[in-house]
Amino acid sequence: MSDIHAQKILVLDFGSQTTQLIARRVREARVYCEIHPCTMPLTEIKAYAPRGIILSGGPASVYADDAPSVDAGIFDFGVPVLGICYGMQIITHLMGGVVAPGAKREYGPAKLSLQETVGPFRESDPVELLQVWMSHGDRIEEMPAGFAALAQTDNSPVAAMGDTSRRIYGVQFHPEVAHTPQGAAMLAAFVLGECGCNPIWTMHNFAEATIADFQKCLAGEKVICALSGGVDSSVVAVLLHKAIGENLTSIFVDNGVLRAGEVSEVAGLFRDVFGLNLVVVDAADTFLERLQGVTDPEEKRRIIGHTFIEVFEAEAKKIGQVQYLAQGTLYPDVIESVSFKGPSAVIKSHHNVGGLPEQMKLQLVEPLRELFKDECREVGRELGLPESIVSRQPFPGPGLAIRIMGEVTRARLKTLREADAIVQEEMRAEELYTKVWQSFAVLVPVKTVGVMGDERTYEDVAALRIVDSVDAMTADWTRVPYAVLAKISSRIINEVQGINRVVLDISSKPPSTIEWE
Ligand code: XMP
């Protein structure tokens, strides 16, 4: 795209669970990088022109029949290579060394003593014993010719190795994980010092470069964007607005299942403060009519998804001559391959406004395709978006409809909105809102008996769902202090008509999910 991508690192993936973390650490060192499968052909690697290559870990053993490998041509390519765990073993195997099963598996923390401060260790303190995280069965028995041991642990005589003349390095431990406290600095030393990249991948530069690119390639074009008020679509809308101004039309659909105050907040901010060309479509009646009598979760999702596309298409037609649709797709959705076995089959089906481009024959504009979520947030801050948007918790497309068990009615929506607003208020007041992944209320229309004053009540139950997560793939319920839970519960029961009992969801994902439907 532009200069900020000129100096880049290629991360070749051998199927490790922590490959994405390697890319994150490289980006944190302000160097651009991409993850590709280890099967990437050498010609493509050359064409990609990386300043350095990092080989990830992986679950296999280099001697297994279907062990993933890489074209050994990368070693003659003249750029530094760093192999991590399996990556180090594959270097050894391909270059004529010997990898063998260790006497015992080494898993967990280990103390690393350094012999040479070169490669990833060029900034490390030679006398300090470094804490590192190990997770391997095989180990290096014999290094390939030209290599010297750079570090050792009690269990691994060759915990790191290097051939300084060819600038090829291997580490047996995982520098990318938080359990290796100096790991980020080691990866930074490799990409900045050894590979000679400049730290130019900043979100300030990214925003500037993206805006400049769009000014060129989208000049005179009409673009539409579905704005949800979530951080991703907000960042997309503001980036494009800065690039093409009035030629961007952002469409915000009130589907009737949004949270309290959301429509006025989003409209006020983006139209009045940011000056966006914003169309707010009040389609609540259509959505709610179609949801009448529907209790099946998948059916709710289907109806909302289809209706959204219909409403959105109708608005786009009114604008006319639109050729582009802007979407907030992020890098984790793009990474084709989490394993060397090829593109992963499932890319989240509920992502954004899936289905639109095919039906409308629109080309996609996805300015955030290269970014991780926290990078997207940083861009948002660069663009002057308020913290209330930038640090927003995820909110599902089908909205409150999948947080009301059973039928979605206006009355139930009102009840849930009020309860949910209290959860948000209290989480923010306690400064917990941004520390957790999501915190919300669920309406369980099961009536239970209560007593208020001298009156017997017979009302619905609200459940609190508050979870910690890093990527929504797994999650655990947050151990929120009792005092906070007590306050939320008492406020909901006292202030929200129709709820006389609050319960706490203490299920992890898996086997439960974050949302209830
Ligand atoms: P689950 O409930 O599957 O949710 O554990 C994982 C994450 O995805 C969000 N989610 C959705 N997001 N459209 C979205 O844009 C949807 O249909 C949808 N369903 C779930 C959920 O809030 C959580 O963060």
Side-chain angles (χ1 to χ4, degrees):
M1 198 153 96
S2 30
D3 279 340
I4 45 167
H5 300 88
Q7 304 175 357
K8 52 192 186 259
I9 297 291
L10 177 62
V11 179
L12 291 177
D13 179 35
F14 290 84
S16 165
Q17 307 230 321
T18 53
T19 303
Q20 277 203 33
L21 284 180
I22 301 174
R24 300 284 307 275
R25 299 288 98 84
V26 173
R27 301 270 189 102
E28 280 162 20
R30 307 255 170 254
V31 172
Y32 183 64
C33 67
E34 284 181 17
I35 301 171
H36 287 266
C38 59
T39 48
M40 189 178 190
L42 192 62
T43 45
E44 280 179 31
I45 297 178
K46 279 194 176 146
Y48 186 76
R51 290 255 170 138
I53 298 173
I54 299 178
L55 310 179
S56 84
S61 170
V62 291
Y63 291 116
D65 281 345
D66 54 353
S69 193
V70 66
D71 194 315
I74 60 165
F75 303 124
D76 306 320
F77 191 48
V79 301
V81 177
L82 173 64
I84 293 173
C85 197
Y86 184 87
M88 177 199 204
Q89 292 159 9
I90 200 77
I91 292 174
T92 307
H93 183 57
L94 290 173
M95 298 188 89
V98 180
V99 179
K104 56 179 186 184
R105 257 183 70 81
E106 197 178 9
Y107 182 84
K111 288 284 181 200
L112 185 84
S113 84
L114 274 181
Q115 283 145 268
E116 297 268 358
T117 49
V118 293
F121 308 112
R122 43 197 294 152
E123 306 292 338
S124 304
D125 183 344
V127 288
E128 201 184 344
L129 271 182
L130 300 173
Q131 190 185 314
V132 297
W133 186 260
M134 291 286 196
S135 171
H136 65 110
D138 292 352
R139 67 177 202 182
I140 310 300
E141 281 303 311
E142 215 177 282
M143 287 177 282
F147 280 78
L150 304 179
Q152 57 192 163
T153 64
D154 285 346
N155 277 314
S156 296
V158 186
M161 65 178 195
D163 175 342
T164 47
S165 64
R166 300 173 72 181
R167 299 192 297 166
I168 301 171
Y169 301 91
V171 292
Q172 187 58 75
F173 58 91
H174 289 271
E176 70 277 21
V177 304
H179 302 295
T180 301
Q182 272 105 339
M186 292 171 195
L187 286 167
F190 178 72
V191 299
L192 298 171
E194 194 68 29
C195 303
C197 296
N198 292 310
I200 51 175
W201 176 256
T202 66
M203 290 307 103
H204 175 81
N205 293 349
F206 171 85
E208 274 192 353
T210 306
I211 291 167
D213 275 348
F214 284 151
Q215 280 168 340
K216 258 189 258 151
C217 64
L218 291 176
E221 303 285 357
K222 279 195 186 170
V223 182
I224 49 171
C225 167
L227 182 67
S228 71
V231 57
D232 309 345
S233 69
S234 300
V235 168
V236 168
V238 175
L239 262 179
L240 276 156
H241 171 69
K242 287 197 189 276
I244 61 168
E246 284 291 297
N247 276 347
L248 169 75
T249 307
S250 298
I251 300 173
F252 179 72
V253 178
D254 177 359
N255 56 12
V257 288
L258 299 172
R259 289 163 291 186
E262 213 160 355
V263 181
S264 56
E265 188 194 345
V266 171
L269 178 72
F270 290 99
R271 194 182 277 150
D272 305 339
V273 181
F274 282 91
L276 255 64
N277 181 9
L278 176 69
V279 178
V280 179
V281 190
D282 179 359
D285 288 347
T286 313
F287 279 88
L288 296 183
E289 252 165 48
R290 291 184 185 178
L291 285 169
Q292 249 175 35
V294 179
T295 53
D296 178 65
E298 283 308 304
E299 186 64 6
K300 287 181 188 174
R301 281 173 185 275
R302 203 186 56 77
I303 290 170
I304 293 170
H306 282 200
T307 309
F308 182 87
I309 291 177
E310 220 175 89
V311 170
F312 193 82
E313 262 183 313
E315 287 308 312
K317 276 209 187 95
K318 286 187 203 159
I319 301 162
Q321 307 257 308
V322 177
Q323 270 171 354
Y324 293 92
L325 170 74
Q327 279 199 162
T329 315
L330 293 176
Y331 193 46
D333 298 308
V334 174
I335 301 175
E336 279 191 326
S337 161
V338 273
S339 89
F340 60 91
K341 291 195 170 118
S344 66
V346 200
I347 293 179
K348 273 181 228 153
S349 58
H350 61 229
H351 190 71
N352 286 346
V353 283
L356 269 179
E358 290 93 69
Q359 292 201 12
M360 297 176 67
K361 302 202 168 43
L362 290 170
Q363 292 188 58
L364 285 179
V365 178
E366 300 180 313
L368 312 180
R369 278 178 76 80
E370 298 170 339
L371 303 192
F372 288 108
K373 187 87 174 183
D374 49 349
E375 291 179 315
C376 164
R377 294 201 157 111
E378 234 180 289
V379 177
R381 291 190 184 102
E382 281 292 331
L383 297 171
L385 281 168
E387 239 6 74
S388 60
I389 296 280
V390 169
S391 51
R392 245 184 192 197
Q393 294 174 357
F395 184 63
L400 299 182
I402 56 166
R403 293 180 181 172
I404 293 175
M405 304 307 100
E407 190 184 359
V408 181
T409 63
R410 284 179 196 275
R412 284 178 173 177
L413 277 164
K414 178 173 181 292
T415 307
L416 178 58
R417 271 195 190 106
E418 289 175 9
D420 188 65
I422 291 172
V423 178
Q424 306 312 325
E425 260 174 51
E426 291 303 324
M427 291 297 283
R428 285 186 203 276
E430 299 292 334
E431 294 181 359
L432 290 172
Y433 179 85
T434 52
K435 295 201 178 102
V436 303
W437 177 262
Q438 267 170 302
S439 47
F440 56 87
V442 173
L443 186 64
V444 192
V446 165
K447 297 222 180 305
T448 73
V449 173
V451 56
M452 262 195 188
D454 294 328
E455 300 267 318
R456 175 186 182 274
T457 58
Y458 189 51
E459 294 175 340
D460 288 339
V461 177
L464 301 180
R465 186 62 166 147
I466 308 174
V467 295
D468 296 319
S469 176
V470 281
D471 55 9
M473 302 300 287
T474 61
D476 196 11
W477 58 281
T478 309
R479 274 49 166 184
V480 176
Y482 285 165
V484 180
L485 293 174
K487 180 119 185 265
I488 294 174
S489 161
S490 115
R491 276 197 64 195
I492 291 178
I493 293 169
N494 283 304
E495 295 173 32
V496 182
Q497 238 186 5
I499 294 179
N500 68 353
R501 189 175 298 271
V502 172
V503 297
L504 179 67
D505 181 344
I506 51 170
S507 334
S508 65
K509 174 186 179 176
S512 298
T513 52
I514 296 176
E515 302 290 344
W516 274 37
E517 286 195 337

